[in-house]
Amino acid sequence: MTRPTTAALIVAAGQGSRMGGVPKQFLRLAEKPLIAHSYDRLAAHSAIEEVLVVIGEGQQAALQDAVGPVRSVVGGAARRDSVRAGLEALAAGKVPDRVLIHDAARPLVPSEVVDRLIAALDAHAGAVPVMAVADTLARDDTVLGETVPRDGLVRVQTPQAFRFAEILDAHRRWPSGKEATDDAQMLRRSGGIVAMVAGDPSLEKITYPADLIAAESRLAGTQRVRSATGYDVHRLVAGEKLWLGGVLIPHDKGLSGHSDADVALHAITDALLGTIAAGDIGSHFPPTDPQWRGADSSMFLRHAAKLIAAEGGTIDFVDLTLICERPKIGPYREAIRSRLADLLRLDPGQVSIKATTTERLGFTGRGEGIAAQAIATVRIP
Ligand code: MG
């Protein structure tokens, strides 16, 4: 039997906000846009083949800035319209067996909850994560009304998981104009059985600014800070281009090496790989492999960043020192900084570029090569 395929749909189509103008899916939680948290976690889950984001009209550029070039579809006015648009887009392609429907407002998705949801679909058409109700519930009659027994009540979270054909059918048959609280209720109304699995406090929804602060401290409490260094040297020779930090710098010599020999990107890549103890650049892209001849080193950097994201990690800071007599780095500092920030999806304030000479001593002093050292700091759950 072939393994069932699973897609994830993230609904991130909100336009306005109670959070001060910026749609909340693009607000930053621990230096990273909200939408990027759930995207990275779902995309990194081994059972999920594809993640599709449903965005609002005109949010393509904001999504690209927040997560990078990922697949998206424009949603509708109500949440139900947005989910429908996402399901139809999936139905038009390689149809998955199962789908997880998630709200971007719940950025922290534990992989154990995803495991439980997917396992529950073996026996049921749908599954939702639930939490017990801890507080006393009472009716709001302007003044305090009767207590509502909380026995038998649960709070329902997302992601909600479904067999794809069944949830698509429930959406297609739902009468237009009729209110729907969520996808699980739509499946229930069309006769599907929805299982409950244990939810997680970290799936709490972010609605108000205070929720963002609570999520930030929840995240900080579970994350470890890791720093690692990287170091690289390449030879300066005539007739080569000089790439430094992803920027082409006019100079009478360039760096030689198997790839484009961007010594700055190599040092940062090694620092990033170091934070997750994932070896070094040579173990991921062997210099003996002809496919990396002349390669654009930004690819190596992106690969390292992707490995960190796959572990649910966040890059906090990157600091680079270039060691050479010439060229002078000062005039290119800001260009390198903004290029690195772009490549790593960071604010320029999270990237520092320094340069020094060695007082004409040694190989850098004689202009025979350029050295680079870097340190990266990340947070890993
Ligand atoms: Mg190198």
Side-chain angles (χ1 to χ4, degrees), residues 29-33 36-41 44 108 219 222-226 272 275-276 304-317 344-346 350 377-381:
L29 167 64
E31 314 270 10
K32 182 168 159 175
H37 283 274
S38 54
Y39 188 93
D40 287 344
R41 283 162 187 244
L108 310 178
L219 203 55
T222 61
Q223 284 184 322
R224 293 153 296 153
V225 174
R226 294 249 191 92
L272 291 172
T275 62
I276 50 170
K306 205 179 272 179
L307 292 179
I308 291 168
E311 298 206 4
T314 315
I315 301 169
D316 256 354
F317 201 76
L344 294 171
R345 287 197 266 124
L346 300 174
Q350 294 171 274
T377 303
V378 306
R379 278 182 271 176
I380 304 282

Side-chain angles (χ1 to χ4, degrees), residues 44 60 80 87 135 192 210 247 257-258 263 274 319 335 348 365 375:
Q60 285 87 351
R80 180 166 59 85
L87 292 173
D135 298 322
V247 174
H258 193 68
V263 69
D319 177 57
I375 181 162

Side-chain angles (χ1 to χ4, degrees), residues 28 31-33 64-68 244-247 264-265 268 272 298 301-302 305 315-320 332-353:
R28 281 177 176 259
E31 314 270 10
K32 182 168 159 175
Q64 161 88 32
D65 281 352
V67 197
L244 279 179
V247 174
L265 293 188
I268 297 170
L272 291 172
S298 62
L301 187 77
R302 281 204 178 99
I315 301 169
D316 256 354
F317 201 76
V318 169
D319 177 57
L320 171 78
Y332 307 103
R333 186 195 310 269
E334 286 312 311
I336 294 173
R337 199 173 170 214
S338 84
R339 175 70 180 144
L340 287 173
D342 272 1
L343 287 170
L344 294 171
R345 287 197 266 124
L346 300 174
D347 278 342
Q350 294 171 274
V351 179
S352 154
I353 311 290

Side-chain angles (χ1 to χ4, degrees), residues 231-234 256-259 261-267 270 281 297 300:
Y231 178 77
D232 196 29
V233 170
H234 279 272
S256 91
H258 193 68
S259 64
D262 190 324
V263 69
L265 293 188
H266 294 184
D270 265 359
I281 195 168
S297 296
F300 307 151

Side-chain angles (χ1 to χ4, degrees), residues 21-343:
V22 181
K24 69 180 167 193
Q25 60 271 32
F26 300 121
L27 290 175
R28 281 177 176 259
L29 167 64
E31 314 270 10
K32 182 168 159 175
L34 226 53
I35 174 70
H37 283 274
S38 54
Y39 188 93
D40 287 344
R41 283 162 187 244
L42 290 168
H45 195 283
S46 59
I48 296 173
E49 281 85 17
E50 181 180 14
V51 184
L52 175 65
V53 185
V54 186
I55 52 173
E57 197 77 57
Q59 292 181 339
Q60 285 87 351
L63 181 69
Q64 161 88 32
D65 281 352
V67 197
V70 301
R71 189 175 170 210
S72 67
V73 59
V74 172
R79 182 182 183 284
R80 180 166 59 85
D81 304 321
S82 293
V83 174
R84 173 79 186 270
L87 292 173
E88 294 293 354
L90 290 173
K94 194 175 167 297
V95 183
D97 298 312
R98 297 165 166 190
V99 63
L100 266 66
I101 302 176
H102 186 59
D103 289 322
R106 301 180 195 264
L108 310 178
V109 188
S111 61
E112 298 79 17
V113 174
V114 174
D115 293 341
R116 292 196 280 269
L117 288 166
I118 289 176
L121 292 184
D122 287 343
H124 302 281
V128 294
V130 301
M131 295 286 286
V133 179
D135 298 322
T136 299
L137 298 177
R139 298 208 178 280
D140 175 358
D141 292 338
T142 315
V143 292
L144 184 68
E146 278 295 318
T147 300
V148 179
R150 66 184 179 213
D151 299 348
L153 290 182
V154 289
R155 294 189 294 131
V156 180
Q157 302 178 317
T158 78
Q160 303 188 343
F162 305 97
R163 293 182 188 158
F164 186 77
E166 270 131 296
I167 192 65
L168 178 65
D169 187 56
H171 267 268
R172 283 182 176 168
R173 292 198 318 197
W174 193 262
S176 62
K178 188 178 168 192
E179 284 279 334
T181 54
D182 65 5
D183 305 290
Q185 288 299 336
M186 293 173 70
L187 181 68
R188 267 191 76 246
R189 300 291 171 80
S190 70
I193 305 284
V194 180
M196 298 192 294
V197 305
D200 194 284
S202 63
L203 275 172
E204 223 56 71
K205 190 173 190 171
I206 290 182
T207 309
Y208 302 103
D211 301 333
L212 208 52
I213 295 165
E216 186 109 23
S217 53
R218 192 185 292 281
L219 203 55
T222 61
Q223 284 184 322
R224 293 153 296 153
V225 174
R226 294 249 191 92
S227 293
T229 66
Y231 178 77
D232 196 29
V233 170
H234 279 272
R235 191 182 291 275
L236 271 173
V237 297
E240 291 276 358
K241 285 181 176 155
L242 178 58
W243 286 97
L244 279 179
V247 174
L248 185 58
I249 292 177
H251 192 50
D252 58 351
K253 288 178 177 174
L255 292 172
S256 91
H258 193 68
S259 64
D260 65 10
D262 190 324
V263 69
L265 293 188
H266 294 184
I268 297 170
T269 301
D270 265 359
L272 291 172
L273 291 172
T275 62
I276 50 170
D280 56 34
I281 195 168
S283 53
H284 291 265
F285 306 97
T288 49
D289 188 336
Q291 69 171 308
W292 312 124
R293 183 177 297 280
D296 175 352
S297 296
S298 62
M299 196 174 69
F300 307 151
L301 187 77
R302 281 204 178 99
H303 176 75
K306 205 179 272 179
L307 292 179
I308 291 168
E311 298 206 4
T314 315
I315 301 169
D316 256 354
F317 201 76
V318 169
D319 177 57
L320 171 78
T321 303
L322 285 163
I323 304 156
C324 60
E325 216 66 41
R326 283 191 327 118
K328 290 293 163 212
I329 302 301
Y332 307 103
R333 186 195 310 269
E334 286 312 311
I336 294 173
R337 199 173 170 214
S338 84
R339 175 70 180 144
L340 287 173
D342 272 1
L343 287 170

